[in-house]
Amino acid sequence: TIAQLFGEECANPGTVGWLAASSPLCVTADGSTEREGGIIFADLPSNILGSFLMGMMQTTTSLGLPVAVPIAWLSLGSWFQDWDIIHLAIRTGFCGSLTTFSSWNSEMVVMIIGTGDPYTTQIIRALFGYIIGMEVSLGSYVMGRKVAEWAFRSKNPSDWEEAEALVEKKEQGVYINRELPEFERRFLPNLDMPSLGAGIEPERLEMLDKWRSSTEEARRVGHSDLEMLKGIEKAVLVDREQVSHDHEVFAQDAGWDLKSLMIWTQRSVPRPVNPTPNDHFLFKPAVAVTIVALLYVFLFIALFSIETVSAYLVTYRTMVYAAMVAPPGALLRWHLSGWNGQLPGSLSWFPAGTWAANVFGCMVSIICIALEYISPVKNGFWRIGTLRAVKVGFSGCLTTVSTFVSEVHGFSQKPHRSDRAYAYIMASLD
């Protein structure tokens, strides 16, 4: 629908029935070389929106914020923070399917090969189309991340104060354990937060301060005792368990005041454990299958009920057809994501699953375009409609730009290894 709104109505008037002929947004083009404009390809607006939403849906950990929650732009106590199945559905399902790598690549290939006179090829413009598609989507993703950070600052001011205090500690090489409860996470690395410790009895606070003082040297990145320290604090402060005998002996040998830590924990109020919403009846397999089956019944009825008597009805009948073949593409992409990081040796960093989904989807898409171009039947719905449904629905949802730019951005942020981002881009676009 977005592609129709931003350009298809201009190329084929009447295909978007609810849009007045005098008001379409003639911004994009489908890549055919009979007319100008393919450099701003038809699905660029969708890629921009999907990449922005993917940036918005990042976790606080990926944004470098102190507290670990799944959605950065929500308040920490929001009920939606616990719905991790829905988070996955939005990131992988919605954002991944809203953006399409196959249509972008296919339209650039069409421009390079050429489809007719007078513009038999537009290779230079196609190359700029690749650059624009990459840069705009990546920029939109970064903007989404920034908006999420701003929202986090507005909704969680004390945590933002902590984030700013963390910068100084990280520069000093102090390790920050994000798994710890809020107060201990701030107090143990001695963050510069004036209000920290207000309202706590000095005698109680003295116990935690003794533990902090005794472990100060080990609380540095790269210290040989850091992993043991993390294990002890996780057991005592997070899991509320007794430390193991090995941990106890190690702490004693290292001169750590474990007794004071235990006293602090005994006087602390246990954190409430919120019930997980993943046991909701909507997530039961039987209920989910029933909902999907009903949706397919509705789409099936709509597909055979819509008569193709106008360009407008052909457009929406094709959309319904594409919606029926879209879920298998999204599910295949999700399955292939399990290949990410599975290559051996020096290529273990490479997201092979995302790459395979994008490459295979592009192959299917360009084959559909070629078959449609050489098809002797232009008026029948089922032949052309099937090709377009597979191209837009299956290939469009199998491939993803939002996950692609997310991975590229992640590689670009790694010190001394930003070259992997460019290698990944070239491997995907070649």
Side-chain angles (χ1 to χ4, degrees):
T1 302
I2 295 178
Q4 298 285 329
L5 174 64
F6 278 86
E8 185 62 22
E9 175 68 18
C10 306
N12 300 295
T15 55
V16 186
W18 48 268
L19 187 63
S22 60
S23 60
L25 304 174
C26 298
V27 177
T28 65
D30 61 3
S32 60
T33 52
E34 287 88 348
R35 65 192 185 97
E36 304 277 358
I39 188 172
I40 308 298
F41 53 93
D43 289 293
L44 181 61
S46 297
N47 288 351
I48 292 173
L49 177 60
S51 298
F52 174 81
L53 293 176
M54 178 65 92
M56 282 281 293
M57 290 298 295
Q58 294 303 295
T59 66
T60 53
T61 301
S62 68
L63 296 178
L65 299 172
V67 59
V69 292
I71 306 297
W73 55 270
L74 292 174
S75 60
L76 302 186
S78 171
W79 60 269
F80 192 63
Q81 294 285 10
D82 296 325
W83 290 66
D84 54 349
I85 292 179
I86 302 301
H87 305 161
L88 176 65
I90 294 174
R91 295 188 187 107
T92 302
F94 180 72
C95 294
S97 298
L98 177 60
T99 61
T100 170
F101 193 94
S102 60
S103 293
W104 169 30
N105 184 71
S106 296
E107 290 177 20
M108 296 304 104
V109 170
V110 168
M111 292 180 68
I112 292 173
I113 296 175
T115 57
D117 295 329
Y119 303 105
T120 56
T121 182
Q122 297 181 9
I123 185 171
I124 301 300
R125 294 182 180 183
L127 294 177
F128 273 98
Y130 277 122
I131 295 174
I132 289 174
M134 185 71 241
E135 293 294 336
V136 171
S137 298
L138 184 58
S140 182
Y141 170 77
V142 173
M143 176 58 72
R145 288 172 58 93
K146 289 299 180 183
V147 171
E149 287 185 14
W150 296 333
F152 179 88
R153 179 175 186 174
S154 174
K155 293 179 176 296
N156 310 286
S158 64
D159 291 282
W160 184 259
E161 181 185 1
E162 178 183 352
E164 293 182 321
L166 282 177
V167 175
E168 179 182 356
K169 289 299 178 180
K170 286 184 176 181
E171 292 176 351
Q172 297 173 2
V174 177
Y175 176 78
I176 309 297
N177 189 349
R178 290 187 170 87
E179 294 184 355
L180 298 181
E182 179 180 292
F183 180 78
E184 290 87 342
R185 187 183 66 242
R186 297 171 176 178
F187 185 84
L188 290 175
N190 198 20
L191 298 185
D192 184 15
M193 299 178 66
S195 60
L196 191 61
I200 299 178
E201 298 175 4
E203 295 78 9
R204 280 192 59 220
L205 195 59
E206 183 182 1
M207 296 296 102
L208 191 60
D209 184 56
K210 288 181 178 180
W211 169 254
R212 179 178 66 180
S213 300
S214 66
T215 59
E216 183 176 4
E217 187 61 31
R219 202 178 302 278
R220 304 189 70 83
V221 176
H223 195 280
S224 58
D225 296 341
L226 180 59
E227 291 301 318
M228 189 64 70
L229 176 62
K230 289 164 57 179
I232 293 175
E233 291 184 341
K234 183 179 186 301
V236 176
L237 298 174
V238 179
D239 301 331
R240 299 285 178 164
E241 299 175 348
Q242 288 290 333
V243 294
S244 66
H245 177 71
D246 291 341
H247 280 163
E248 189 174 351
V249 172
F250 188 93
Q252 184 176 358
D253 293 342
W256 297 347
D257 194 346
L258 184 58
K259 181 180 178 180
S260 294
L261 179 64
M262 298 302 297
I263 294 175
W264 162 264
T265 306
Q266 291 167 4
R267 296 179 181 177
S268 300
V269 178
R271 291 177 299 160
V273 178
N274 296 325
T276 174
N278 294 335
D279 294 330
H280 196 281
F281 79 96
L282 289 176
F283 299 140
K284 301 296 183 182
V287 177
V289 170
T290 302
I291 293 174
V292 171
L294 291 175
L295 289 175
Y296 264 96
V297 169
F298 172 77
L299 292 172
F300 186 82
I301 294 173
L303 179 64
F304 285 93
S305 300
I306 300 175
E307 297 181 1
T308 54
V309 295
S310 66
Y312 160 68
L313 292 176
V314 169
T315 296
Y316 285 93
R317 191 180 187 188
T318 305
M319 287 183 181
V320 170
Y321 200 177
M324 296 182 69
V325 298
L331 289 172
L332 178 57
R333 170 165 49 82
W334 174 71
H335 179 74
L336 290 173
S337 67
W339 294 4
N340 291 343
Q342 298 302 310
L343 293 181
S346 61
L347 291 177
S348 60
W349 62 271
F350 190 77
T354 306
W355 178 85
N358 282 342
V359 170
F360 178 63
C362 288
M363 292 172 62
V364 173
S365 177
I366 202 66
I367 289 173
C368 290
I369 292 174
L371 291 175
E372 180 181 351
Y373 185 72
I374 65 176
S375 175
V377 180
K378 300 296 183 182
N379 296 322
F381 172 78
W382 289 109
R383 182 181 179 88
I384 301 301
T386 299
L387 291 173
R388 292 180 178 178
V390 171
K391 179 187 71 173
V392 175
F394 179 77
S395 294
C397 291
L398 172 59
T399 61
T400 172
V401 170
S402 58
T403 302
F404 173 63
V405 296
S406 174
E407 292 165 344
V408 168
H409 180 267
F411 293 140
S412 69
Q413 300 304 302
K414 294 184 181 298
H416 311 299
R417 294 318 311 256
S418 60
D419 58 308
R420 289 178 174 175
Y422 300 101
Y424 182 37
I425 292 173
M426 295 304 298
S428 300
L429 296 180
D430 280 352

